[in-house]
């Protein structure tokens, strides 16, 4: 940037949108502008002298005629090993109450282009999470994108925190958590959990909170991605990027689009909905030397998976994990819907013949049980043919076996968390499908890790029952 500053004057203010007139040089799109302590970002050129900019903060106190300084570059965030263990806002400033970071750290623009196809890795490997229902029915891809879809209160954030916890032991790399429109209590709780689990030194957190301007919520995911790309490209490391919540990113874009005067499209979303989502998702990819694996929570308005925000996000994902309110009502946690969830990785070539067959058979048994539920409600279980009764018993055991206690919910449930290897999950499901554990009670499969845990639980329950009977008979 030359010594002479490029200064413009504010001509109009409408909510978070500010029009600024520059008499000489018009700043390029995405350039960062400053009015006093307020940061703005150029969104469009209205004419040869005027830009329309988005305020990344409250515009209270602005007035027409105020000077706006063009900083000559887009918004930037610090990168490097020194950002590990810290919590940032969209401007790259620390918000964890610790020492400020070194001003001389390298900085990267939050607006990077996605990798060209020639630079991408085409290898596909399964990314094991330690959560039975996900690893079996919707396996995630290393360098892929997994979405957790669900309405309010079905356990998306709990599942994400559990995945962070499980990755520590089995996963060498950096975790990057991006909170888009998060509640402050969730951010504070996550920070404490990461610190107590001893994983904070391998983690970077970035938050654009719910109460902040839509511009901040709209840009915070891009800022987190720039940090992730640094570790992938420069440090050649694998990065686990967790975004909670993609819907709030879309929502912020919708607020901005209305202020920018754009015509709303279907269900009131912005006309650029598909482009906004693609600009974020297409940057999440792998190279030959490192991968960004992304797990994203996606709030589904009114549990409607046909909502444009959910359906446009679906298209970019390699694994779709749908959380069901019906399963929450039954107390089946994690509330993964086995019939609605799926993954591009679930093919014999990717996961192997055995895994594919077990997953297909589990899904078939659960689908048959779903069809029989109406008949059971009308006529009762005893009126079913014998083979259907066997199917129902297997399905109910499978449903319970696919639950498991989480490490991050121990203080609520009082149960120790379990992370289960894929081999143990497959073995347990095979034994249930083959009828090897038909003599075990249904309840012994609920909230256990491996099938051995279920057998031990059943044995303990029978011994307790025997002891109770003998004491009553005396």
């Amino acid at each position: 940037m030359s010594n002479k500053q490029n200064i413009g004057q504010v001509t109009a203010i409408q909510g978070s949108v500010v029009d600024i007139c520059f008499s000489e040089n018009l700043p390029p799109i995405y350039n960062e502008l400053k009015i006093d302590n307020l940061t703005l970002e150029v969104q469009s050129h209205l004419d040869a002298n005027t830009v329309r900019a988005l305020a990344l903060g409250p515009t209270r106190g602005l007035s027409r005629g105020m000077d706006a300084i063009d900083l000559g570059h887009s918004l930037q965030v610090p990168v490097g090993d020194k950002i590990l263990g810290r919590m940032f806002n969209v401007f790259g400033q620390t918000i964890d109450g610790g020492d400020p970071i070194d001003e001389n750290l390298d900085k990267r623009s939050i607006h990077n282009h996605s990798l060209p196809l020639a630079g991408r890795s085409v290898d596909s490997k399964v990314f094991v999470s330690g959560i039975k229902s996900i690893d079996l029915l919707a396996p995630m891809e290393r360098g892929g994108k997994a979405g957790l879809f669900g309405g309010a209160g079905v356990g998306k954030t709990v599942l994400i925190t559990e995945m962070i916890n499980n990755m520590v032991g089995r996963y060498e790399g950096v975790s990057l958590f991006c909170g888009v429109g998060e509640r402050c209590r969730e951010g504070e709780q996550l920070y404490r959990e990461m610190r107590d689990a001893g994983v904070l030194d391998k983690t970077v957190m970035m938050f654009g909170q719910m109460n902040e301007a839509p511009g901040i919520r709209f840009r915070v995911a891009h800022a987190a991605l720039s940090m992730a790309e640094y570790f992938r490209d420069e440090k050649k490391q694998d990065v686990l990027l967790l975004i909670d919540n993609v819907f709030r990113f879309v929502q912020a874009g919708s607020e901005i689009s209305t202020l920018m005067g754009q015509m709303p499209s279907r269900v009131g979303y912005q006309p650029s909905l598909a482009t906004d989502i693609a600009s974020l998702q297409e940057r999440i990819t792998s190279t030959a030397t490192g991968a960004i694996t992304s797990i994203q929570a996606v709030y589904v308005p009114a549990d409607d998976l046909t909502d444009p925000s959910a359906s446009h996000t679906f298209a970019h994902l390699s694994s779709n994990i749908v959380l069901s309110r019906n399963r929450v009502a039954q107390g089946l946690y994690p509330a993964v819907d086995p019939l609605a969830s799926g993954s591009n990785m679930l093919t014999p070539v990717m996961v192997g013949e055995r895994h594919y067959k077990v997953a297909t058979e589990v899904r078939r048994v659960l689908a048959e049980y779903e069809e029989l539920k109406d008949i059971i409600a009308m006529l009762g279980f005893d009126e079913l043919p014998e083979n259907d009764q066997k199917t129902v018993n297997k399905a109910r055991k499978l449903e319970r076996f696919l639950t498991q206690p989480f490490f991050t919910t121990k203080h609520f449930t009082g149960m120790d968390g379990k992370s289960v290897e894929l081999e143990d999950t497959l073995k347990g499901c095979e034994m249930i499908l083959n009828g090897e554990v038909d003599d075990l009670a249904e309840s012994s499969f609920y909230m256990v890790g491996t099938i051995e845990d279920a057998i031990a639980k059943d044995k303990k329950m029978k011994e307790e029952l025997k002891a109770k009977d003998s004491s009553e008979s005396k």
Side-chain angles (χ1 to χ4, degrees):
M1 194 171 74
S2 65
N3 291 333
K4 189 187 174 192
Q5 285 187 316
N6 186 21
I7 298 176
Q9 275 73 44
V10 174
T11 57
I13 304 154
Q14 184 181 357
S16 293
V17 174
V18 182
D19 292 351
I20 302 160
C21 180
F22 287 85
S23 54
E24 293 177 13
N25 301 322
L26 205 63
I29 301 283
Y30 297 145
N31 256 28
E32 188 180 348
L33 311 176
K34 274 271 193 230
I35 304 175
D36 293 340
N37 291 322
L38 177 66
T39 301
L40 301 95
E41 184 183 82
V42 177
Q43 292 294 307
S44 63
H45 294 157
L46 296 183
D47 55 41
N49 296 101
T50 313
V51 298
R52 180 158 280 176
L54 179 65
L56 303 180
T59 52
R60 204 179 301 111
L62 287 195
S63 60
R64 288 192 298 177
M66 287 180 87
D67 284 351
I69 301 166
D70 172 19
L71 299 188
H73 57 74
S74 59
L75 202 61
Q76 296 179 325
V77 287
V79 292
D81 286 337
K82 288 186 179 172
I83 68 172
L84 290 168
R86 304 303 301 270
M87 193 190 276
F88 293 91
N89 62 16
V90 74
F91 308 109
Q93 299 159 342
T94 54
I95 53 171
D96 52 13
D99 297 330
I101 56 161
D102 186 356
E103 285 294 319
N104 300 320
L105 275 181
D106 282 347
K107 288 189 167 63
R108 278 198 171 196
S109 167
I110 69 168
H111 296 285
N112 289 335
H113 293 292
S114 58
L115 275 177
L117 282 174
R120 300 186 182 206
S121 163
V122 291
D123 287 345
S124 286
K125 291 179 186 162
V126 174
F127 188 84
V128 179
S129 68
I131 296 167
K132 289 183 286 192
S133 51
I134 293 173
D135 291 341
L136 176 71
L137 299 167
M140 298 188 294
E141 179 185 5
R142 176 187 173 268
K145 298 181 269 283
L148 299 175
F149 291 84
V154 292
K156 297 184 295 297
T157 303
V158 171
L159 207 47
I160 275 198
T161 52
E162 183 68 10
M163 281 181 183
I164 295 172
N165 188 77
N166 287 2
M167 297 310 166
V168 181
R170 62 176 75 238
Y171 174 84
E172 288 301 316
V174 175
S175 295
L176 211 148
F177 182 88
C178 173
V180 184
E182 278 288 270
R183 300 171 184 89
C184 58
R185 67 163 176 80
E186 288 174 341
E188 186 266 341
Q189 190 179 336
L190 187 72
Y191 183 83
R192 258 188 298 118
E193 281 172 3
M194 303 273 244
R195 188 190 59 206
D196 296 346
V199 298
L200 203 55
D201 60 336
K202 286 274 185 204
T203 307
V204 184
M205 292 187 194
M206 181 167 269
F207 286 95
Q209 282 169 221
M210 208 177 242
N211 63 324
E212 295 187 290
I216 290 178
R217 287 178 274 129
F218 193 55
R219 288 293 175 228
V220 69
H222 289 282
L225 253 172
S226 291
M227 289 179 171
E229 286 165 344
Y230 166 82
F231 287 108
R232 180 195 67 193
D233 300 337
E234 306 298 326
K235 292 288 183 179
K236 315 291 185 200
Q237 285 179 297
D238 281 2
V239 184
L240 180 65
L241 174 67
L242 302 120
I243 303 176
D244 189 7
N245 183 308
V246 172
F247 174 74
R248 305 214 189 284
F249 164 77
V250 171
Q251 209 174 27
S254 180
E255 288 178 46
I256 290 161
S257 130
T258 307
L259 292 167
M260 298 288 287
Q262 294 175 346
M263 187 74 75
S265 72
R266 196 155 68 97
V267 200
Y269 287 108
Q270 62 268 44
S272 55
L273 174 65
T275 314
D276 291 344
I277 292 175
S279 68
L280 182 72
Q281 301 285 3
E282 288 300 302
R283 286 173 63 184
I284 303 169
T285 184
S286 338
T287 64
T289 53
I292 299 177
T293 304
S294 170
I295 301 168
Q296 309 168 17
V298 186
Y299 167 71
V300 181
D303 293 341
D304 176 16
L305 289 169
T306 63
D307 187 88
S309 64
S311 57
H312 278 294
T313 308
F314 261 124
H316 293 275
L317 305 174
S318 52
S319 177
N320 302 312
I321 300 153
V322 179
L323 302 180
S324 144
R325 196 170 300 283
N326 186 22
R327 296 178 81 75
V328 171
Q330 294 174 56
L332 301 172
Y333 291 101
V336 176
D337 187 327
L339 303 178
S341 304
S343 168
N344 297 347
M345 297 295 285
L346 197 57
T347 64
V349 177
M350 293 294 180
V351 296
E353 199 72 42
R354 180 190 174 205
H355 182 166
Y356 178 72
K357 279 183 175 170
V358 171
T360 308
E361 186 63 12
V362 165
R363 205 169 261 152
R364 183 192 67 76
V365 169
L366 292 172
E368 280 187 23
Y369 174 43
E370 201 62 37
E371 287 172 11
L372 291 168
K373 277 182 179 175
D374 287 343
I375 299 171
I376 296 167
M378 286 187 291
L379 303 176
F381 176 74
D382 295 332
E383 295 301 316
L384 292 176
E386 191 181 338
N387 60 333
D388 283 348
Q389 287 188 8
K390 282 183 179 174
T391 300
V392 170
N393 284 329
K394 280 179 188 174
R396 289 179 64 83
K397 282 173 182 173
L398 282 168
E399 277 187 336
R400 279 148 187 76
F401 182 63
L402 291 176
T403 64
Q404 75 191 78
F406 281 176
F407 293 97
T408 49
T409 57
K410 188 185 173 184
H411 50 291
F412 295 123
T413 62
M415 289 186 271
D416 289 330
K418 305 268 190 202
S419 175
V420 184
E421 293 299 326
L422 180 59
E423 174 60 35
D424 291 326
T425 303
L426 294 177
K427 180 186 169 189
C429 291
E430 280 173 336
M431 286 176 74
I432 295 169
L433 291 167
N434 296 337
E436 293 174 44
V437 285
D438 280 357
D439 56 328
L440 267 63
E442 252 178 42
S443 55
S444 54
F445 293 90
Y446 181 66
M447 285 292 171
V448 294
T450 61
I451 196 74
E452 286 78 17
D453 293 345
I455 294 166
K457 185 177 174 181
D458 187 70
K459 189 180 174 187
K460 188 183 174 189
M461 279 161 51
K462 281 175 179 165
E463 283 172 358
E464 284 173 357
L465 193 64
K466 203 173 174 184
K468 188 183 173 186
D469 288 347
S470 63
S471 68
E472 281 176 0
S473 60
K474 286 175 186 175

